[in-house]
Amino acid sequence: MSRGRPDGAQKKRLLTIIFAVALFLVFLYVYHGSKNTGESALEYGSRSLRKLGSSYLGGDEDSDLGSKQDEAKFGLDDSEDGITPRSFPVCDDRHSELIPCLDRNLIYQMRLKLDLSLMEHYERHCPLPERRFNCLIPPPPGYKVPIKWPTSRDEVWKANIPHTHLAHEKSDQNWMVVKGDKIRFPGGGTHFHYGADKYIAHLANMLNFSNNVLNNEGRLRTVFDVGCGVASFGGYLLASDILTMSLAPNDVHQNQIQFALERGIPAYLGVLGTKRLPYPSRSFELAHCSRCRIDWLQRDGILLLELDRVLRPGGYFAYSSPEAYAQDEEDLRIWKEMSALVERMCWRIAVKKNQTVIWQKPLSNDCYLEREPGTQPPLCRSDDDPDAVGSVLMEACITPYSDHDHKTKGSGLAPWPARLTTPPPRLADFGYSSDMFEKDMELWRRRVDNYWSLLSPKISSDTIRNVMDMKANLGSFAAALKDKDVWVMNVVDVDGPKTLKIVYDRGLIGSVHNWCEAFSTYPRTYDLLHAWNVLSDIKKKGCSGEDLLLEMDRILRPTGFAIFRDRQPVIDFVKKYLGALHWEAVATGEASQDDGDEVVFIIQKKLWLTSESFRDVE
């Protein structure tokens, strides 16, 4: 009797199973993307890349396209000189609004286990280096150079942010209205349908500030608007010399911050989730929430305690929400519990009227010291650094004041605009003297004058609005721009000296960041980037200079400028990529005695469109 047939059938079945499993694994590999560098652009690699082709506008014909061999060479280290990349590929059109560290597709692909109730999915989650996009972010079809400030406060091109769902969803609240090829902003909000200007005057009147002006004669300068919508509140505060950090997540109203920045209003993508906000302690005179839909009672009031951390001594929290005035059972319960919590935090009601309550934070530690033992929330540990931010988790504790602030019963800051040039008390934390502070101001005054002289053939008074200083130090670059009609996002290295608190003490705003990662903003949101030794710094960290150039291109608006101040080898490295990035050299500055071995190099980003968007323009 032969047993060959049954054995053969078993082998065939085994081979069939192995083949099916192999096919399934191949399918999974293709579906979820490879982790190899060259495979990742639809899902962080090359499958969604597209060459610029003949639709590129405004460039040299011989730099439009490179061979596939050139395309593979663009990631070479700057040490391998002699090879100049001729073009970067272009991302697929669906990535025209890509924010790499706030990308839902990345979260899905990485299968991150996030707690949605804690808003972890709205916090930063950055791709690993091998999974980053290696392509240029294209503008949307029909993109136009943005409308100039101050007109932009009230209207933007619809083609630049082709999302109108908020206009329909918030039609009864006057957030925005679609009119032909523009989107207009009447200045309304969830709790101020009749205009932010009237609402702002109402807040000032509630606080008995002179002339119903919220800046309180320069004593109220920096504001934090959480759940800001399209940032009309912050936009209208600018007329009162108040600078607002408007914050909202990339949530179901995902283009709020994109609209704000397109309008020329300071704004930042972020959320009150599990990590501290990227701002130092005692940064804002006023926090504001207008129907921001935040559960302030969750986790022992941890989110209110984070607001407490960033508020200055005597700072205000303006809260416009149904809980402050409605009479139904649930609103009354929330109001009662919230009132008890803020009372234990030593906040007092400054004023309550109609839909709004304004609480005030104490000026000293006296109230904290008088609380009964065991009162919740507790004071933070003595070794807790209230200025440590970045990936630092929030804690449900009260940050007491320093001995200086406790004794002076306030921050000791001068009113605006003297605040900008007066050495702040916290300067001593870094061992800086008043003389060093003033010399730093004078140095950057001269440098900014030189920058504007170099830029003058290319710009007029309204060319530049949104500015980012990628390495702000004490904020003197931004201070030197005081007489320009611009605002500056001051960025301080998350791993360096915590000088961002000096920036805020000067009446300016900013955020901490690590330039080895992408910034929390939409593409095409800044008119001018100032990069002082930033490339040198990330090279020391072992990060990619090419990645940073691509990130700068993502952030920069078409026709916008970047100023590089760095060593000559770094400038040579940037020049090597001009054609690939479709940047144009504008000017090179001569090094002065104060600059040491630093060289100034200014570029302008050209306006280019993909073939699809070019057809729309035609």
Side-chain angles (χ1 to χ4, degrees):
M1 294 176 62
S2 172
R3 289 176 296 192
R5 286 185 180 179
D7 286 346
Q10 287 177 0
K11 287 179 181 178
K12 285 179 180 177
R13 280 197 299 273
L14 182 61
L15 287 171
T16 301
I17 291 169
I18 291 171
F19 182 71
V21 169
L23 277 176
F24 179 70
L25 290 173
V26 168
F27 170 78
L28 285 180
Y29 180 84
V30 171
Y31 182 77
H32 291 294
S34 169
K35 289 188 178 181
N36 294 330
T37 305
E39 271 282 342
S40 347
L42 182 95
E43 301 169 18
Y44 294 79
S46 62
R47 277 175 292 162
S48 73
L49 306 187
R50 190 179 56 241
K51 303 291 291 234
L52 278 172
S54 59
S55 60
Y56 166 59
L57 300 180
D60 301 327
E61 290 181 8
D62 60 357
S63 67
D64 285 355
L65 292 171
S67 66
K68 288 186 178 180
Q69 185 178 7
D70 290 329
E71 216 173 311
K73 291 176 181 176
F74 74 81
L76 291 172
D77 257 345
D78 57 342
S79 58
E80 299 183 50
D81 47 14
I83 300 174
T84 302
R86 296 181 65 200
S87 69
F88 281 114
V90 179
C91 299
D92 189 276
D93 281 343
R94 73 190 121 155
H95 299 308
S96 69
E97 294 172 349
L98 175 72
I99 312 161
C101 295
L102 296 170
D103 183 11
R104 306 285 171 74
N105 292 326
L106 175 69
I107 290 173
Y108 174 77
Q109 291 165 30
M110 294 176 70
R111 300 181 181 278
L112 299 177
K113 299 187 185 301
L114 304 175
D115 190 330
L116 305 188
S117 68
L118 302 185
M119 302 296 174
E120 285 186 303
H121 53 308
Y122 294 140
E123 294 183 320
R124 287 174 59 83
H125 303 282
C126 297
L128 296 171
E130 64 269 20
R131 290 179 67 85
R132 290 178 183 169
F133 281 77
N134 58 352
C135 48
L136 300 172
I137 303 297
Y143 181 86
K144 301 179 182 181
V145 174
I147 293 169
K148 303 302 182 185
W149 181 267
T151 306
S152 63
R153 189 195 71 171
D154 302 324
E155 62 181 31
V156 301
W157 296 118
K158 183 172 69 174
N160 291 8
I161 310 179
H163 302 281
T164 58
H165 61 282
L166 278 176
H168 305 297
E169 185 178 336
K170 303 292 184 179
S171 60
D172 61 330
Q173 298 169 15
N174 279 326
W175 279 31
M176 48 191 273
V177 179
V178 179
K179 290 274 183 79
D181 59 356
K182 292 178 181 174
I183 295 174
R184 295 189 175 164
F185 303 88
T190 306
H191 255 49
F192 43 92
H193 308 174
Y194 300 108
D197 50 350
K198 296 180 179 63
Y199 174 69
I200 290 164
H202 173 64
L203 294 178
N205 179 265
M206 287 176 67
L207 290 166
N208 291 319
F209 289 168
S210 62
N211 301 316
N212 290 341
V213 178
L214 197 60
N215 74 3
N216 193 23
E217 299 178 341
R219 287 185 285 272
L220 196 156
R221 164 64 180 172
T222 49
V223 168
F224 177 57
D225 187 19
V226 57
C228 65
V230 293
S232 288
F233 181 71
Y236 278 79
L237 280 172
L238 288 165
S240 300
D241 268 344
I242 293 175
L243 198 54
T244 306
M245 178 62 80
S246 296
L247 182 94
N250 186 23
D251 61 6
V252 291
H253 300 150
Q254 57 186 304
N255 301 99
Q256 300 170 97
I257 295 300
Q258 191 178 18
F259 279 119
L261 291 166
E262 183 75 10
R263 296 172 70 186
I265 299 171
Y268 184 82
L269 269 165
V271 69
L272 280 164
T274 65
K275 296 171 184 173
R276 282 181 173 177
L277 296 164
Y279 320 123
S281 67
R282 309 193 297 281
S283 293
F284 302 99
E285 273 93 28
L286 171 74
H288 174 255
C289 158
S290 172
R291 195 68 180 271
C292 54
R293 297 187 179 181
I294 292 173
D295 177 7
W296 295 108
L297 296 172
Q298 64 174 283
R299 292 175 283 159
D300 302 316
I302 196 168
L303 304 185
L304 264 180
L305 290 159
E306 176 62 2
L307 275 194
D308 184 83
R309 183 185 70 84
V310 300
L311 275 176
R312 297 198 193 279
Y316 300 98
F317 177 40
Y319 183 60
S320 294
S321 188
E323 294 85 19
Y325 66 91
Q327 296 300 308
D328 65 81
E329 187 176 337
E330 180 62 10
D331 287 330
L332 286 170
R333 180 193 68 79
I334 293 171
W335 172 252
K336 184 177 178 181
E337 291 185 24
M338 199 165 169
S339 297
L341 172 61
V342 298
E343 185 177 353
R344 296 194 303 273
M345 290 167 55
C346 291
W347 289 9
R348 69 172 187 88
I349 291 181
V351 62
K352 182 174 183 287
K353 189 174 182 181
N354 299 332
Q355 303 178 353
T356 303
V357 59
I358 302 177
W359 284 289
Q360 187 173 24
K361 184 179 173 179
L363 284 165
S364 70
N365 290 330
D366 290 344
C367 175
Y368 306 143
L369 300 174
E370 292 166 2
R371 298 190 313 162
E372 292 291 327
T375 299
Q376 298 296 316
L379 297 182
C380 297
R381 301 182 313 273
S382 58
D383 63 348
D384 177 73
D385 181 1
D387 299 319
V389 294
S391 296
V392 180
L393 294 176
M394 293 181 192
E395 289 192 47
C397 61
I398 298 169
T399 303
Y401 299 126
S402 66
D403 289 342
H404 170 272
D405 284 1
H406 172 65
K407 289 174 185 174
T408 57
K409 297 189 182 298
S411 56
L413 298 176
W416 180 266
R419 183 180 300 189
L420 185 66
T421 54
T422 303
R426 292 198 280 186
L427 195 65
D429 295 354
F430 303 94
Y432 279 90
S433 66
S434 297
D435 185 56
M436 293 165 69
F437 177 79
E438 287 165 5
K439 284 181 178 176
D440 186 68
M441 276 197 300
E442 181 55 34
L443 173 65
W444 282 104
R445 245 186 239 117
R446 291 198 303 269
R447 288 177 171 178
V448 167
D449 285 346
N450 181 45
Y451 293 158
W452 249 249
S453 175
L454 294 170
L455 283 166
S456 59
K458 290 278 188 177
I459 64 172
S460 56
S461 60
D462 64 354
T463 303
I464 294 170
R465 172 61 186 169
N466 300 352
V467 179
M468 178 185 287
D469 189 0
M470 298 172 69
K471 184 182 176 182
N473 193 27
L474 302 180
S476 292
F477 168 80
L481 291 170
K482 177 183 177 293
D483 295 329
K484 313 289 185 189
D485 204 1
V486 304
W487 69 272
V488 182
M489 177 67 76
N490 293 279
V491 181
V492 170
D493 192 339
V494 71
D495 300 318
K498 299 181 179 71
T499 56
L500 191 60
K501 60 187 177 183
I502 304 301
V503 171
Y504 274 93
D505 284 355
R506 300 181 73 174
L508 305 168
I509 60 171
S511 173
V512 298
H513 185 60
N514 173 8
W515 283 112
C516 293
E517 299 175 348
F519 194 76
S520 292
T521 192
Y522 281 87
R524 303 171 300 280
T525 45
Y526 284 87
D527 299 300
L528 175 66
L529 305 178
H530 179 240
W532 171 44
N533 287 332
V534 178
L535 275 163
S536 289
D537 291 345
I538 69 156
K539 274 294 186 183
K540 290 173 187 172
K541 293 183 179 183
C543 300
S544 165
E546 292 89 343
D547 281 352
L548 180 57
L549 292 179
L550 281 166
E551 172 63 3
M552 291 176 71
D553 184 78
R554 185 186 74 86
I555 293 173
L556 201 57
R557 285 173 167 175
T559 72
F561 300 88
I563 301 172
F564 294 89
R565 174 178 286 275
D566 219 312
R567 297 176 299 110
Q568 186 62 55
V570 175
I571 301 303
D572 292 339
F573 169 78
V574 174
K575 288 180 178 178
K576 190 171 72 171
Y577 288 91
L578 291 182
L581 291 161
H582 309 290
W583 292 358
E584 180 179 54
V586 170
T588 302
E590 297 294 329
S592 69
Q593 190 174 358
D594 296 321
D595 298 328
D597 61 352
E598 293 175 359
V599 179
V600 175
F601 180 57
I602 303 178
I603 65 91
Q604 183 175 24
K605 177 178 176 177
K606 298 176 184 178
L607 173 61
W608 55 265
L609 301 170
T610 63
S611 54
E612 290 178 28
S613 51
F614 187 54
R615 279 198 299 273
D616 279 10
V617 171
E618 290 186 315

